[in-house]
Amino acid sequence: MTGPDDKNFSTGEELFNYANYLGQLVLKSLPWLGIMVLIVQLLLHIDSVRPFLSSVYRMEGVPVDTRNVKDWMDEKKPSFLHHSS
């Protein structure tokens, strides 16, 4: 076998060896990926680091105040979200 970029397999044994190589590569990378996920999850608990790691946190809006819900749910005011026809 010449390398991982050579995808012309003349025998089934070469294909099996290549699949075995890729499987071992995946198994070796799983612990590192798990460690990286744990590190990122722990860093997300730090408020000053969270905006750098999460684009969702950066784009998050201001929460709705329950006292002001009546202002935009009032039936007397015209609503641009619902058009009754």
Side-chain angles (χ1 to χ4, degrees):
M1 201 153 121
T2 60
D5 292 334
D6 184 19
K7 294 190 177 42
N8 297 327
F9 302 108
S10 60
T11 64
E13 185 178 348
E14 289 178 359
L15 177 63
F16 179 77
N17 289 337
Y18 184 65
N20 192 21
Y21 165 75
L22 289 178
Q24 289 175 357
L25 188 66
V26 168
L27 286 177
K28 288 179 183 178
S29 65
L30 281 177
W32 291 109
L33 291 172
I35 290 170
M36 286 191 291
V37 166
L38 287 174
I39 289 171
V40 170
Q41 288 294 321
L42 290 173
L43 287 174
L44 283 172
H45 286 282
I46 303 171
D47 290 335
S48 60
V49 177
R50 194 178 303 145
F52 297 107
L53 294 177
S54 173
S55 61
V56 174
Y57 185 77
R58 282 192 305 268
M59 293 185 288
E60 186 175 339
V62 179
V64 176
D65 189 9
T66 56
R67 295 174 296 193
N68 294 331
V69 170
K70 283 186 175 181
D71 294 342
W72 55 272
M73 291 288 290
D74 193 7
E75 293 178 11
K76 297 177 185 173
K77 296 180 182 178
S79 173
F80 297 107
L81 298 176
H82 176 72
H83 299 285
S84 58
S85 28

